[in-house]
Amino acid sequence: PSPLEKAMVCFGGMFIELPKAKTREMLRQDQEELDEEINNLRKELRVKVNRLYEAQGKPELKGFNLNPMSAEEMKLINRILEG
């Protein structure tokens, strides 16, 4: 597709026609911001859960500090499993 082609994008309850390249860049940037926010919330959750367990006099959760695999790592695992 030509970079001059347009895409329809919904903002609120309104559709706007924007160049595909601009739309793709906006989506990429939004996804990066969402990924960063998700990672920050996960880190905060770990700390809060540990504090809660400490306040209850329970031992710290084991395995709670694990990190999810990235999309690239998952692709590699799937490739290995498929043979």
Side-chain angles (χ1 to χ4, degrees):
S2 150
L4 299 176
E5 289 183 32
K6 304 244 180 196
M8 296 295 289
V9 183
C10 182
F11 289 107
M14 179 175 34
F15 283 90
I16 299 174
E17 194 172 25
L18 295 172
K20 280 189 177 181
K22 176 70 174 169
T23 304
R24 190 173 292 118
E25 178 60 27
M26 287 171 47
L27 290 172
R28 185 195 59 74
Q29 185 177 5
D30 283 349
Q31 188 62 51
E32 285 178 3
E33 290 173 10
L34 289 171
D35 288 342
E36 185 176 328
E37 185 176 343
I38 288 169
N39 287 332
N40 289 337
L41 290 172
R42 283 183 179 143
K43 288 176 189 173
E44 291 173 15
L45 179 63
R46 290 177 183 144
V47 171
K48 289 177 182 178
V49 168
N50 283 334
R51 267 194 262 148
L52 176 63
Y53 269 68
E54 184 180 318
Q56 293 175 340
K58 295 180 181 178
E60 185 176 315
L61 283 176
K62 291 185 171 44
F64 196 64
N65 290 324
L66 298 174
N67 293 318
M69 288 196 286
S70 68
E72 187 63 33
E73 290 170 329
M74 282 302 298
K75 285 179 189 176
L76 293 172
I77 296 290
N78 286 334
R79 248 189 244 151
I80 291 169
L81 292 176
E82 290 173 357

